[in-house]
């Protein structure tokens, strides 16, 4: 009798199981890179147009630029208001630290200004991607994956700038705090705090890439299919089995 129930259940659920398997296979064949809207190549094109219409673009690096200007200003203030230490050697060291702060702050202002005028990751990426073939599905898949790489490359560049900018500006500002007194120490301390500005605010390149990844996730979905089995006592166990297709 138990075996009869099992075979009846098998006849009932088999068509649903086959249909679910076919559905799962169809979903697997739909690559997320080709299903997402807008595609990475389209996003690259949109952002490339924005870059061409927004030159120079200081907004992307505004936090790092603000930090560098603050370092430069606090170093200049220290160099013109060097405390009167009893040890003349410490006075000389304070001036050297101030000069180092001016050098680091000015260097970052120069680097960021150069990048704002000349570094265009989306335009450069789109020029490379648009030359790729689009004849076959494999060609389109390769194109979209390269486009995604270009979106991520901009993010990685932003991370490096943020890290190096924060490290150098914070280090020299922290040292200036030790050689300052009163307002000069307070100003240097504020500079050290602002050096973390790149981590307080999201970089635009990161925002673009995060949005694209979010759109990709929205096309993923669960595939459900019936589940049935016999327990140790021979009783039929039925339910629904879910699996996520990526």
């Amino acid at each position: 009798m138990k075996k009869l129930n099992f075979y009846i259940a098998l006849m009932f659920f088999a068509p649903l199981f086959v249909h679910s398997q076919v559905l799962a296979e169809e979903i697997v064949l739909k690559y997320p890179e080709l299903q997402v809207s807008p595609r990475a190549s389209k996003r690259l094109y949109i952002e490339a147009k924005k870059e061409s219409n927004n030159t120079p673009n200081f907004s992307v690096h505004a936090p790092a630029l603000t930090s560098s200007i603050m370092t430069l200003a606090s170093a200049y203030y220290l160099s013109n208001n060097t405390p009167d230490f009893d040890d003349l050697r410490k006075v000389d060291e304070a001036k050297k630290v101030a000069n180092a702060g001016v050098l680091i702050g000015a260097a970052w202002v120069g680097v960021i200004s150069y990048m704002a005028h000349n570094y265009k990751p989306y335009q450069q990426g789109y020029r490379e991607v648009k030359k790729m073939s689009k004849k076959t599905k494999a060609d389109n898949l390769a194109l979209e994956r390269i486009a995604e790489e270009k979106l991520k490359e901009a993010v990685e560049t932003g991370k490096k700038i943020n890290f190096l900018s924060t490290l150098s500006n914070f280090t020299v500002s922290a040292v200036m705090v030790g050689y300052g007194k009163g307002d000069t120490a307070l100003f240097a301390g504020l500079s050290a705090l602002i050096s973390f500005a790149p981590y307080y605010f999201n970089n635009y390149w990161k925002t673009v890439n995060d949005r694209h990844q979010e759109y990709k996730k929205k096309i993923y979905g669960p595939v459900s299919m019936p589940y049935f089995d016999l327990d140790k006592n021979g009783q039929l166990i039925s339910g629904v089995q879910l699996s996520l297709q990526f």
Side-chain angles (χ1 to χ4, degrees), residues 153-170:
E153 283 177 8
V155 177
E156 293 303 315
T157 299
K159 286 182 179 179
K160 292 175 183 177
I161 292 173
N162 291 345
F163 175 76
L164 294 174
S165 168
T166 299
L167 179 63
S168 56
N169 285 313
F170 174 77

Side-chain angles (χ1 to χ4, degrees), residues 45-106:
Y45 170 71
I46 293 172
E47 297 302 328
K49 286 189 66 177
K50 288 182 181 179
E51 278 185 341
S52 64
N53 296 326
N54 188 21
T55 300
N57 184 11
F58 286 96
S59 61
V60 174
H61 306 293
L65 180 61
T66 302
S67 170
S68 302
I69 292 174
M70 189 63 185
T71 298
L72 180 60
S74 61
Y76 182 77
Y77 187 70
L78 176 61
S79 66
N80 287 279
N81 297 275
T82 305
D84 295 324
F85 296 107
D86 295 333
D87 187 351
L88 294 179
R89 184 176 59 181
K90 195 167 184 180
V91 174
D92 186 55
E93 289 176 356
K95 291 181 179 179
K96 289 180 179 179
V97 169
N99 290 335
V102 170
L103 180 63
I104 291 175

Side-chain angles (χ1 to χ4, degrees), residues 6-128:
F6 176 78
Y7 289 128
I8 292 174
L10 182 62
M11 292 177 62
F12 177 77
F13 285 112
L16 294 177
F17 179 76
V18 172
H19 175 73
S20 298
Q21 288 295 100
V22 172
L23 177 61
E25 291 176 2
E26 288 179 352
I27 292 178
V28 169
L29 291 176
K30 292 180 179 178
Y31 295 99
E33 294 90 345
L34 302 180
Q35 297 300 310
V36 66
S37 180
R39 291 185 177 185
S41 58
K42 180 66 174 179
R43 171 66 69 182
L44 205 55
Y45 170 71
I46 293 172
E47 297 302 328
K49 286 189 66 177
K50 288 182 181 179
E51 278 185 341
S52 64
N53 296 326
N54 188 21
T55 300
N57 184 11
F58 286 96
S59 61
V60 174
H61 306 293
L65 180 61
T66 302
S67 170
S68 302
I69 292 174
M70 189 63 185
T71 298
L72 180 60
S74 61
Y76 182 77
Y77 187 70
L78 176 61
S79 66
N80 287 279
N81 297 275
T82 305
D84 295 324
F85 296 107
D86 295 333
D87 187 351
L88 294 179
R89 184 176 59 181
K90 195 167 184 180
V91 174
D92 186 55
E93 289 176 356
K95 291 181 179 179
K96 289 180 179 179
V97 169
N99 290 335
V102 170
L103 180 63
I104 291 175
W108 273 113
V109 170
V111 169
I112 292 173
S113 297
Y114 174 81
M115 294 190 69
H117 284 85
N118 300 286
Y119 183 64
K120 308 297 179 184
Y122 296 129
Q123 291 186 53
Q124 294 169 7
Y126 180 69
R127 282 196 294 269
E128 181 177 333

